[in-house]
């Protein structure tokens, strides 16, 4: 540094070496090199560049005038700033070196601290965090991941431990905080702690209302620091794509893990509801050779030399079970090859489907609203589910029976009466105007959601025209243009259920095949249900992700999946 200061002091205005150029108009301190074609913007940057050399500094203040030697006062001022900055850098370098040496000495000293279990203490009982309350006052052993930690001086450290069943605050004191593992501990390391669970005094808070007074601990798997540290992987401003790439780490967060816990509770609640209604669970195949919801959304693959598909719905197989098992349901994955990036579409989703025998359309509608309300109440009344619902959707308002029942024709009228228009496009797909919705048109997602959100309550939207519904839907006896069909619409998410009565007549089903251009031969097993003892029956499919998005007020259904699959995303 001293040599550098000396060289700076010897700089001369009449030096004959290559000059350094400064243009106060066109120069650039960051990208410039000091050459005439790439000048710096300030004299300070030129002096910094020339330090250690013997270069003349030339300056121009406008593009019209030529370069002139820098003013002596400007040079002196810049040189003083450079020297001051050099001294600061030298001081900071020495301080950093001293800190590094002190840290190294601290770590060397910490490596000498060895922990041993006190053999005189009672044997520790291995427990999960969720079981902590019933083991207060006892010495226990708990293993998990470091969710958070902080040190308070040399002799006190707090660790919030996570094991999937809950969170536990652990208090480490004295020698326990002074080991090499303690000093270098990083978030998401796995540890095992031993100690006595103590209830917290009044006025203090911690998960579970207690904390573990640790008497011994050990690191099982140390997480990395630096650029590889868990906290360096993502933050609140990270792009959605990177968050999805890091989904295996994101799900360790409290919100994501709570959503997945609620998902498990919702699946359990559906199963409990069906069980209470004596509806039997079956497991249909996911590899099929028939369509249910239109051939354009089928994922195809080669199955031992012949074309097969991932199922769009298990409905047709459920219908075949009615004659042998009675009312049935399944909780299985369905697949739709829709090229859609909306916040309510997935390529793979969990489909809760049911088929009920010897019912009419009103029975189906009553079942649906009872199921939605009952499942929601089961979840809300569960201790863990109620707490998660309160945290993630504190303003949730439970729907009440009966739901509003609205015919498709009334929905068309509502849209037109409320000024909701459809776009009119030219042959190239460019918008050229707007128009009212007409009877017979499918209602797109956006206007349907606008209607639902405006009304602000669940809607059973019924009796859609046959031309916009699937081939298997039964016609309304009072108007054969319509089907006995229903969509359950929820505020903030839109459709969560689609259902209908099914065609029972052999000849009518044949017409359905013909209308949709479907070859009936591969469907012989489905058609046979109308040949060997037909009956009035109906069913539905509920998208579990949409139900969860409504329940937990999530912006997109992707947030309620373990690993969402949609167009362009099939990893990790």
């Amino acid at each position: 540094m001293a040599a550098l200061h000396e060289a700076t002091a010897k700089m001369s205005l009449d030096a004959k070496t290559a000059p350094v150029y400064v243009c106060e108009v066109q120069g650039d301190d960051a990208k410039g090199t000091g050459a005439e074609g790439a000048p710096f913007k300030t004299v300070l940057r030129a002096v910094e560049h020339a330090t250690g050399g013997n270069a003349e500094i030339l300056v121009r203040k406008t593009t019209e005038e030529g370069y002139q030697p820098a003013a002596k006062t400007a040079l002196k001022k810049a040189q003083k700033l450079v020297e001051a900055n050099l001294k600061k850098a030298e001081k900071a370098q020495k301080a950093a070196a001293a800190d590094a040496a002190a840290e190294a000495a601290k770590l060397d000293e910490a490596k000498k601290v060895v922990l041993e279990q006190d053999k005189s203490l009672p044997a520790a009982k291995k427990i999960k965090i969720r079981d902590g309350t019933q083991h207060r006052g006892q010495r226990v052993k708990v293993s998990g991941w470091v969710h958070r930690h902080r040190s308070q001086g040399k002799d006190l450290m707090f660790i919030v431990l996570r094991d999937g069943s809950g969170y536990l605050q652990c208090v480490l004191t004295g020698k326990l905080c002074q080991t090499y593992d303690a000093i270098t501990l990083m978030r998401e390391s796995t540890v095992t702690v031993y100690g006595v669970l103590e209830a917290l005094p009044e006025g203090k808070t911690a998960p579970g209302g207690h904390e573990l007074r640790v008497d011994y601990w050990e690191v099982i798997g140390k997480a990395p620091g630096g650029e590889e540290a868990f906290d360096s992987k993502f933050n609140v401003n990270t792009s959605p794509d990177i968050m999805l790439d890091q989904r295996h780490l994101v799900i360790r967060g409290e919100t994501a893990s709570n959503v997945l816990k609620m998902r498990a509770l919702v699946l359990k609640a559906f199963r409990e509801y069906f069980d209470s209604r004596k509806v039997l669970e079956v497991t249909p195949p996911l590899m099929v050779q028939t369509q249910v919801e239109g051939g354009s959304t089928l994922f195809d693959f080669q199955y031992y030399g012949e074309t097969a598909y991932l199922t769009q719905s298990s409905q047709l197989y459920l219908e075949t079970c009615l004659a042998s098992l009675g009312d049935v349901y399944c909780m299985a994955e369905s697949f739709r090859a829709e090229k859609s990036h909306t916040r309510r579409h997935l390529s793979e989703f969990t489909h809760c489907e049911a088929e009920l025998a010897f019912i009419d359309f009103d029975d189906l509608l009553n079942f649906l609203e009872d199921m939605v309300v009952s499942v929601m109440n089961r979840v809300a009344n569960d201790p863990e589910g109620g707490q998660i619902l309160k945290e993630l959707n504190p303003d949730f308002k439970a729907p009440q029976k009966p739901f509003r029942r609205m015919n498709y024709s009334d929905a068309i009228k509502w849209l037109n009466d409320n000024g909701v228009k459809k776009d009119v496009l030219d042959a190239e797909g460019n918008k050229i105007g707007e128009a009212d919705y007409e009877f017979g048109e499918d209602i797109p997602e956006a206007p349907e959601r606008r209607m639902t959100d405006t009304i602000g309550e669940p809607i059973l939207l019924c009796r859609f025209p046959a031309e916009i519904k699937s081939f298997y839907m039964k016609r309304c006896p009072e108007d054969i243009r319509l089907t006995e069909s229903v969509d359950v619409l929820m505020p903030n998410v839109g459709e969560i259920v689609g259902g209908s009565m099914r065609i029972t007549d052999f000849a009518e089903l044949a017409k359905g095949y013909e209308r949709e251009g479907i070859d009936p031969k591969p469907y012989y097993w489905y058609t046979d249900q109308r040949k060997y003892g037909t009956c009035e029956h109906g069913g539905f499919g509920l998208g579990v992700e949409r139900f969860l998005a409504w329940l937990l007020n999530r912006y997109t259904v992707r947030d309620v999946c373990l690993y969402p699959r949609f167009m362009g995303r099939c990893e990790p």
Side-chain angles (χ1 to χ4, degrees):
M1 285 293 183
L4 199 55
H5 294 169
E6 186 178 349
T8 302
K10 289 181 179 179
M11 286 183 63
S12 170
L13 292 176
D14 45 15
K16 302 300 182 183
T17 56
V20 180
Y21 291 89
V22 175
C23 178
E24 295 181 359
V25 180
Q26 297 177 330
D28 190 319
D29 283 348
K31 298 179 180 178
T33 63
E36 186 173 3
F40 294 124
K41 189 174 183 65
T42 65
V43 173
L44 175 62
R45 179 68 187 93
V47 171
E48 289 176 341
H49 177 76
T51 295
N54 215 10
E56 181 180 20
I57 295 176
L58 301 177
V59 180
R60 71 175 180 182
K61 297 184 179 296
T62 68
T63 54
E64 289 78 17
E65 67 180 40
Y67 282 98
Q68 302 294 327
K72 292 182 178 180
T73 53
L75 279 175
K76 286 181 179 179
K77 183 178 180 181
Q79 287 168 353
K80 286 183 179 180
L81 281 172
V82 169
E83 290 178 5
N85 289 338
L86 288 170
K87 288 179 181 179
K88 284 182 181 179
E90 184 178 12
K91 185 177 180 181
Q93 189 176 21
K94 287 180 179 179
D99 289 344
E103 184 65 21
K106 180 181 177 182
L107 292 176
D108 286 341
E109 193 65 28
K111 290 176 181 178
K112 300 175 184 178
V113 180
V114 179
L115 300 180
E116 292 183 359
Q117 285 206 61
D118 186 344
K119 303 295 185 181
S120 66
L121 295 174
K125 183 176 181 181
K126 183 179 178 180
I127 67 166
K128 292 287 188 180
I129 291 175
R130 62 170 170 256
D131 301 322
T133 302
Q134 63 205 60
H135 290 92
R136 287 180 181 175
Q138 301 175 25
R139 187 167 185 261
V140 297
K141 171 186 176 182
V142 184
S143 298
W145 288 260
V146 176
H147 191 64
R148 289 189 299 272
H149 70 99
R150 63 182 174 89
S151 295
Q152 196 167 307
K154 181 182 177 182
D155 296 319
L156 182 61
M157 185 166 74
F158 296 91
I159 294 176
V160 174
L161 201 62
R162 181 190 75 243
D163 72 350
S165 74
Y167 300 88
L168 175 65
Q169 179 168 287
C170 308
V171 183
L172 289 71
T173 58
K175 189 178 179 181
L176 299 174
C177 310
Q178 298 163 12
T179 65
Y180 181 81
D181 282 339
I183 293 173
T184 60
L185 186 66
M186 297 299 297
R187 183 180 172 188
E188 293 305 320
S189 297
T190 44
V191 301
T192 297
V193 292
Y194 299 73
V196 177
L197 270 170
E198 297 181 357
L200 287 172
E202 191 173 342
K204 291 191 176 183
T205 59
H210 49 235
E211 62 186 10
L212 186 71
R213 292 286 173 175
V214 179
D215 57 57
Y216 177 76
W217 72 295
E218 56 187 340
V219 174
I220 307 302
K222 182 170 286 188
E227 292 183 0
E228 284 297 304
F230 183 85
D231 291 329
S232 299
K233 289 293 184 179
F234 52 84
N235 55 49
V236 293
N237 298 315
T238 301
S239 72
D241 280 345
I242 293 177
M243 294 290 277
L244 287 169
D245 289 340
Q246 301 297 324
R247 183 68 178 167
H248 59 295
L249 300 179
V250 169
I251 60 176
R252 299 186 181 200
E254 291 177 36
T255 296
S257 62
N258 275 339
V259 168
L260 294 177
K261 289 174 182 177
M262 181 62 92
R263 182 186 176 99
L265 288 171
V266 164
L267 293 175
K268 178 184 176 184
F270 272 112
R271 286 190 165 97
E272 289 176 345
Y273 176 77
F274 287 123
D275 187 55
S276 72
R277 298 290 295 265
K278 305 303 180 186
V279 182
L280 189 69
E281 183 172 10
V282 295
T283 52
L286 301 185
M287 297 186 292
V288 302
Q289 290 188 308
T290 52
Q291 69 181 55
V292 181
E293 299 298 333
S296 64
T297 64
L298 284 166
F299 283 109
D300 65 302
F301 63 95
Q302 285 300 301
Y303 185 73
Y304 300 110
E306 58 182 337
T307 301
Y309 309 97
L310 296 177
T311 185
Q312 300 165 313
S313 166
S314 296
Q315 173 204 320
L316 306 189
Y317 292 99
L318 292 181
E319 287 188 55
T320 69
C321 296
L322 292 175
S324 58
L325 303 175
D327 298 341
V328 291
Y329 81 97
C330 70
M331 203 76 71
E333 300 306 289
S334 286
F335 305 85
R336 303 283 171 89
E338 293 178 282
K339 294 182 178 180
S340 173
H341 273 293
T342 75
R343 55 183 173 142
R344 69 174 193 170
H345 282 96
L346 292 164
S347 297
E348 176 186 12
F349 64 97
T350 302
H351 214 172
C352 173
E353 299 184 87
E355 291 295 318
L356 310 172
F358 299 105
I359 63 170
D360 59 25
F361 191 41
D362 282 335
D363 293 331
L364 178 62
L365 300 182
N366 292 337
F367 187 98
L368 282 171
E369 64 185 9
D370 184 63
M371 178 187 69
V372 170
V373 171
S374 295
V375 168
M376 184 277 302
N377 285 334
R378 286 173 189 268
V379 170
N381 292 331
D382 178 90
E384 184 177 29
Q387 183 60 37
I388 293 174
L389 186 59
K390 183 178 179 181
E391 291 177 12
L392 298 185
N393 192 6
D395 298 325
F396 178 75
K397 294 181 180 179
Q400 303 295 320
K401 296 185 295 184
F403 292 174
R404 177 192 289 253
R405 302 188 182 191
M406 175 187 285
N407 285 332
Y408 161 88
S409 57
D410 294 326
I412 293 292
K413 185 177 185 300
W414 189 97
L415 294 174
N416 293 334
D417 288 349
N418 286 272
V420 182
K421 303 290 185 180
K422 66 176 180 180
D423 293 340
V424 178
L425 308 178
D426 62 18
E428 285 73 37
N430 300 311
K431 181 178 177 180
I432 58 174
E434 293 181 335
D436 285 345
Y437 284 94
E438 298 177 3
F439 184 90
E441 296 179 327
D442 194 12
I443 301 175
E445 175 188 351
E448 181 183 79
R449 287 191 60 172
R450 180 172 173 183
M451 178 184 73
T452 308
D453 292 350
T454 301
I455 293 173
E457 60 179 295
I459 299 172
L460 295 173
L461 188 57
C462 305
R463 299 178 177 85
F464 292 84
E467 285 70 23
I468 61 173
K469 283 299 181 179
S470 297
F471 71 91
Y472 52 77
M473 292 189 178
K474 186 177 181 64
R475 305 256 180 166
C476 294
E478 69 276 10
D479 187 346
I480 60 171
R481 297 177 304 160
L482 307 176
T483 55
E484 290 189 325
S485 52
V486 58
D487 286 350
V488 181
L489 310 179
M490 288 295 183
N492 299 322
V493 70
E495 179 195 345
I496 65 169
V497 179
S500 76
M501 295 299 292
R502 315 309 193 190
I503 291 175
T504 60
D505 181 72
F506 187 98
E508 186 180 352
L509 181 59
K511 291 180 181 177
Y513 290 140
E514 183 179 359
R515 187 189 80 215
E516 298 298 326
I518 296 174
D519 179 2
K521 291 180 181 178
Y523 294 81
Y524 71 93
W525 50 273
Y526 181 68
T527 309
D528 275 356
Q529 306 309 309
R530 283 77 186 163
K531 184 187 296 185
Y532 297 99
T534 190
C535 76
E536 293 296 323
H537 65 287
F540 60 87
L542 175 144
V544 172
E545 287 79 10
R546 291 187 184 181
F547 184 91
L548 282 162
W550 161 68
L551 187 65
L552 299 178
N553 194 30
R554 299 297 95 183
Y555 177 75
T556 169
V557 291
R558 299 173 188 177
D559 290 343
V560 299
C561 301
L562 179 59
Y563 291 104
R565 297 291 185 250
F566 52 91
M567 189 173 69
R569 169 66 60 175
C570 194
E571 62 177 6

